[in-house]
C-alpha cells in the first residue's frame, strides 16, 4: 500500500509532510465515504471531476439554504412572540385623537375646577364631612338575603366624586363569599340620592356611580363607573375574567405588584397594590408637583409633600399653563412613565339592565318602610308628590354573578424550544439529510482529525498507524 516505509516497519506512516498530508486525506475520505449526510458520500465516490463538482455545488447550496433557514428560525425564536385570544391595551396616545384636545376649556369646566381647588385646600377630614354619609344614603342592604349595614363598607375619598364606599373590601375582616349565581345570592341596595344636598355647579346629573373591581385595586368610578339612576332598579350581572400575561422577554408586564410602588399616591393613602391606572395618575401627579410646585386637585396629593404645597390654582395663568403642558405630554406619551400592565389581573365583565322602580303596586309598601327611616323620609312619603319625590331620590341596585363560569385568558409562547428544535431538524433533513446521528459522526470525525494533527504536531518523528476503514488512530 502506498505510504508504507521500506524499512519493514509495517503498520506505520512516514512522518514527512507529504506522508502526513496523505494520511489526513485518507482519513477525511474515509469519513466522507461512511457519512450519513446526503451528498457527502457522492462527492467522495465520484471519479469524474465534473460529477464531483456538481455534487459539491449541490451540497454547498443546500448548506447555504439550510443556514439561511436556521438563522431565520433563531430570529423567530428570539423575537419572543406569544399568542393570546384577547389582550387589554391601554395607551395614552390612543385615547386622545387630537394633540390639542386639552387646550380648550368650557365655562362649566372652569367653574368646576375652581370649586375643586377650593375643596382641595381643606383637609381630607373636612372634605369627607362635607360629602354624603353612607348612614344617610344607604336605606336598605342585603347580601344573599341576609341584612348588611354600613359596617360592611370601607370609605375612600375621590377628588372628583367625593365620598365613595367599597363593599366587601376585606380590610376590616373576612371577605363575604357567594356560592350560587343569580340576583337572590348577591348584593341588593336601596339608596337615597339626597338631591337637596347637591352643591350647585359641581355636578350635572343625579345618581350614583358604581365600579366593580378587585378588592386590592383602586377604583376610578368617575372614569370607569356605571351610572345608577334614581327611579330605577339597576341590575349588574357579573362574570369574572382572569388574565395571565407573559413577563420579559415576551412582554413588558409587572409580576410583583407589591414592589416599587412607594411613589404611588393611592398606595400611600389606601395601601392598595400596583395598578396601571394608579401608576399613570401618580406619575402625572408627581411630575406636576416636581415641575409646577403644586398638585392637580383632580387627584390625591402625594403624602411625601402633603401640607407643604397647595393645589394648582385655575386662576393662575402660570400654574394653568404648567398643568396643560404636562397633560399634553401625557396625552402624547412623552412623560416616560414606567407603568407596565400587571402580569396577573382579575377583572369583571358586566351586563347592565334596568327597570322602573318602584312599581305602582309596590309603592304603598315602600312608603310604609320609608316612613320608619327618618324624618326626611316620613315627611316626603306623606306629601302630595310622594311618588315623584321617590322616583327622583331613590334608586335600587342589585349586583350578582350571572354564572360561575369565568373566562381565563392566558398568554403562551408562540414559539418554544421544542418548536425551534423541530424546525431546525426539518431544515437539516430537507436540505442535507442530516440527523442527530450525523452530528455525532461529524464530531467523531473531527476528533479523529484533531487527534491526528495534535499527535503529529507534538512529535513530528513519532509514527502513527492509521486504519481508515476502522476509523481508529493508533499512536
Amino acid at each position: 500500500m502506498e505510504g508504507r516505509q521500506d524499512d519493514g516497519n509495517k503498520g506505520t506512516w512516514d512522518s514527512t509532510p507529504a506522508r502526513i498530508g496523505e494520511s489526513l486525506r485518507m482519513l477525511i475520505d474515509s469519513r466522507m465515504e461512511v457519512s450519513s449526510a446526503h451528498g457527502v458520500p457522492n462527492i467522495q465516490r465520484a471519479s469524474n471531476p465534473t460529477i464531483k463538482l456538481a455534487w459539491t455545488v449541490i451540497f454547498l447550496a443546500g448548506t447555504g439554504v439550510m443556514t439561511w433557514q436556521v438563522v431565520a428560525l433563531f430570529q423567530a425564536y428570539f423575537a419572543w412572540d406569544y399568542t393570546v385570544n384577547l389582550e387589554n391595551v391601554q395607551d395614552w396616545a390612543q385615547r386622545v385623537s387630537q394633540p390639542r384636545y386639552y387646550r380648550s376649556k368650557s365655562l362649566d369646566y372652569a367653574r368646576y375646577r375652581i370649586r375643586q381647588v377650593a375643596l382641595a385646600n381643606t383637609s381630607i377630614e373636612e372634605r369627607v364631612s362635607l360629602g354624603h354619609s353612607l348612614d344617610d344614603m344607604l336605606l336598605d342592604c342585603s347580601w344573599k338575603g341576609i341584612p348588611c349595614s354600613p359596617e360592611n363598607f370601607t370609605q375612600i375619598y375621590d377628588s372628583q366624586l367625593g365620598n365613595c364606599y367599597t363593599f366587601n373590601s376585606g380590610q376590616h375582616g373576612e371577605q363575604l363569599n357567594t356560592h350560587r349565581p343569580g340576583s337572590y345570592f348577591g348584593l341588593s341596595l336601596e339608596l337615597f340620592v339626597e338631591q337637596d344636598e347637591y352643591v350647585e355647579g359641581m355636578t350635572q346629573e343625579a345618581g350614583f356611580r358604581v365600579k366593580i373591581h378587585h378588592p386590592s385595586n383602586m377604583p376610578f368610578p368617575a372614569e370607569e363607573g356605571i351610572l345608577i339612576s334614581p327611579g330605577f332598579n339597576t341590575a349588574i350581572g357579573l362574570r369574572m375574567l382572569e388574565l395571565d400575561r407573559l413577563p420579559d422577554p415576551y412582554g413588558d408586564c409587572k409580576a410583583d405588584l407589591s414592589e416599587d410602588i412607594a411613589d404611588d399616591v393611592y398606595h400611600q393613602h389606601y395601601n392598595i397594590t400596583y395598578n396601571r391606572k394608579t401608576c399613570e395618575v401618580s406619575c402625572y401627579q408627581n411630575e406636576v408637583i416636581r415641575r409646577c410646585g403644586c398638585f392637580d386637585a383632580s387627584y390625591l396629593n402625594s403624602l411625601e409633600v402633603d401640607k407643604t404645597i397647595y393645589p394648582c390654582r385655575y386662576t393662575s395663568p402660570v400654574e394653568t399653563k404648567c398643568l396643560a403642558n404636562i397633560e399634553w405630554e401625557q396625552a402624547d406619551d412623552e412623560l416616560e412613565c414606567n407603568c407596565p400592565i400587571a402580569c396577573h389581573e382579575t377583572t369583571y365583565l358586566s351586563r347592565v339592565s334596568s327597570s322602573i322602580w318602584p312599581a305602582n303596586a309596590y309603592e304603598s309598601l315602600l312608603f310604609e318602610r320609608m316612613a320608619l327611616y327618618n324624618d326626611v323620609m316620613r315627611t316626603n312619603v306623606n306629601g302630595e308628590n310622594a311618588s315623584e319625590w321617590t322616583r327622583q331620590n331613590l334608586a335600587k341596585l342589585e349586583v350578582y354573578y350571572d354564572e360561575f363560569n369565568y373566562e381565563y385568558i392566558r398568554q403562551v409562547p408562540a414559539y418554544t424550544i421544542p418548536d425551534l428544535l423541530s424546525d431546525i431538524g426539518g431544515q437539516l433533513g430537507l436540505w442535507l439529510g442530516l440527523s442527530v446521528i450525523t452530528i455525532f459522526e461529524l464530531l467523531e470525525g473531527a476528533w479523529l482529525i484533531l487527534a491526528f494533527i495534535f499527535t503529529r504536531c507534538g512529535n513530528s518523528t513519532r509514527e502513527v498507524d492509521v486504519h481508515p476503514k476502522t476509523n481508529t488512530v493508533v499512536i
Side-chain angles (χ1 to χ4, degrees):
M1 185 175 181
E2 248 184 29
R4 298 292 184 180
Q5 292 184 354
D6 295 334
D7 58 1
N9 293 329
K10 295 182 178 181
T12 61
W13 288 89
D14 195 349
S15 60
T16 62
R19 297 299 184 186
I20 293 174
E22 181 68 16
S23 300
L24 183 59
R25 184 185 66 80
M26 292 181 64
L27 179 60
I28 294 174
D29 286 346
S30 68
R31 301 311 306 165
M32 293 177 63
E33 184 177 356
V34 299
S35 174
S36 62
H38 297 177
V40 174
N42 294 330
I43 297 174
Q44 194 276 335
R45 289 194 296 264
S47 58
N48 188 314
T50 303
I51 297 176
K52 186 183 290 289
L53 176 62
W55 276 113
T56 302
V57 171
I58 292 173
F59 178 78
L60 292 178
T63 302
V65 174
M66 179 272 297
T67 303
W68 168 54
Q69 292 291 337
V70 169
V71 170
L73 292 174
F74 273 104
Q75 290 175 341
Y77 176 75
F78 287 108
W80 307 115
D81 289 334
Y82 57 84
T83 58
V84 66
N85 294 329
L86 177 66
E87 181 179 4
N88 183 31
V89 178
Q90 289 179 322
D91 187 1
W92 278 102
Q94 296 177 3
R95 302 178 197 178
V96 183
S97 58
Q98 299 178 359
R100 302 293 181 177
Y101 177 79
Y102 291 106
R103 284 192 181 275
S104 59
K105 306 293 184 180
S106 66
L107 182 60
D108 288 340
Y109 179 81
R111 292 171 179 171
Y112 168 76
R113 288 301 297 265
I114 291 173
R115 291 184 176 90
Q116 194 176 51
V117 170
L119 284 174
N121 276 311
T122 63
S123 65
I124 287 287
E125 292 75 17
E126 291 177 299
R127 279 174 268 173
V128 169
S129 66
L130 293 173
H132 294 269
S133 169
L134 187 61
D135 290 339
D136 298 329
M137 288 194 303
L138 185 62
L139 301 181
D140 188 67
C141 176
S142 66
W143 169 255
K144 297 192 298 185
I146 302 173
C148 51
S149 71
E151 294 182 358
N152 298 106
F153 292 80
T154 303
Q155 180 177 313
I156 62 172
Y157 184 82
D158 184 88
S159 300
Q160 301 181 54
L161 296 179
N163 293 341
C164 297
Y165 302 91
T166 302
F167 177 77
N168 199 25
S169 67
Q171 295 186 13
H172 303 302
E174 184 178 357
Q175 285 186 323
L176 301 175
N177 296 308
T178 183
H179 303 286
R180 296 182 63 181
S183 59
Y184 291 104
F185 302 96
L187 176 67
S188 178
L189 304 176
E190 291 181 7
L191 302 168
F192 181 28
V193 175
E194 298 183 288
Q195 286 206 54
D196 294 340
E197 297 189 11
Y198 277 31
V199 178
E200 182 181 355
M202 287 296 290
T203 181
Q204 298 181 0
E205 68 272 351
F208 302 90
R209 285 185 180 265
V210 174
K211 167 63 178 175
I212 311 298
H213 63 95
H214 191 273
S216 63
N217 292 342
M218 184 70 191
F220 288 90
E223 293 92 352
E224 306 166 343
I226 299 172
L227 281 172
I228 308 300
S229 301
F232 290 89
N233 176 19
T234 303
I236 304 177
L238 304 177
R239 287 187 65 194
M240 190 171 70
L241 172 63
E242 284 195 13
L243 296 169
D244 270 337
R245 303 178 179 91
L246 290 173
D248 185 72
Y250 294 96
D252 182 23
C253 69
K254 188 177 180 66
D256 190 346
L257 303 183
S258 61
E259 67 175 11
D260 300 329
I261 57 173
D263 293 336
D264 192 307
V265 298
Y266 292 92
H267 173 72
Q268 296 172 6
H269 283 269
Y270 301 114
N271 197 32
I272 52 95
T273 59
Y274 173 85
N275 178 269
R276 187 175 190 179
K277 175 69 173 180
T278 62
C279 177
E280 290 175 338
V281 171
S282 299
C283 175
Y284 164 79
Q285 185 71 291
N286 290 326
E287 189 70 8
V288 171
I289 293 171
R290 184 182 68 85
R291 287 164 53 179
C292 305
C294 55
F295 69 92
D296 189 338
S298 300
Y299 305 107
L300 290 175
N301 188 15
S302 172
L303 289 181
E304 296 179 357
V305 294
D306 191 33
K307 299 180 180 178
T308 61
I309 62 172
Y310 54 83
C312 299
R313 297 164 296 179
Y314 193 76
T315 55
S316 169
V318 175
E319 294 176 359
T320 301
K321 183 177 180 180
C322 183
L323 274 178
N325 288 334
I326 298 177
E327 287 179 347
W328 298 334
E329 291 178 19
Q330 189 177 42
D332 293 334
D333 199 22
E334 297 177 356
L335 282 186
E336 299 182 357
C337 299
N338 183 23
C339 295
I341 202 162
C343 291
H344 180 80
E345 187 177 9
T346 300
T347 185
Y348 299 89
L349 306 175
S350 59
R351 180 185 58 83
V352 182
S353 58
S354 63
S355 61
I356 294 176
W357 183 86
N360 293 334
Y362 179 67
E363 271 192 347
S364 58
L365 179 60
L366 178 63
F367 291 167
E368 292 178 6
R369 290 173 48 207
M370 291 170 59
L372 301 176
Y373 289 147
N374 51 50
D375 291 338
V376 175
M377 296 288 175
R378 189 176 305 109
T379 300
N380 285 281
V381 298
N382 290 324
E384 295 181 359
N385 300 319
S387 296
E388 181 181 353
W389 183 87
T390 300
R391 287 191 168 90
Q392 289 181 356
N393 286 275
L394 266 65
K396 185 172 182 179
L397 172 65
E398 295 178 338
V399 182
Y400 54 88
Y401 280 104
D402 265 338
E403 53 184 85
F404 273 177
N405 294 331
Y406 68 96
E407 292 188 31
Y408 179 48
I409 300 175
R410 180 169 60 97
Q411 291 180 348
V412 295
Y415 203 58
T416 62
I417 291 180
D419 296 328
L420 177 64
L421 295 177
S422 176
D423 289 342
I424 290 177
Q427 294 298 324
L428 293 175
L430 174 65
W431 298 106
L432 300 177
L434 300 180
S435 65
V436 175
I437 295 177
T438 307
I439 294 175
F440 283 105
E441 290 178 355
L442 294 175
L443 292 176
E444 180 191 22
W447 179 83
L448 290 173
I449 294 172
L450 289 175
F452 180 88
I453 294 173
F454 288 147
T455 301
R456 287 298 181 179
C457 292
N459 185 0
S460 60
T461 62
R462 192 170 184 179
E463 296 177 344
V464 177
D465 192 7
V466 180
H467 299 281
K469 298 298 182 181
T470 59
N471 303 322
T472 59
V473 177
V474 179
I475 299 175

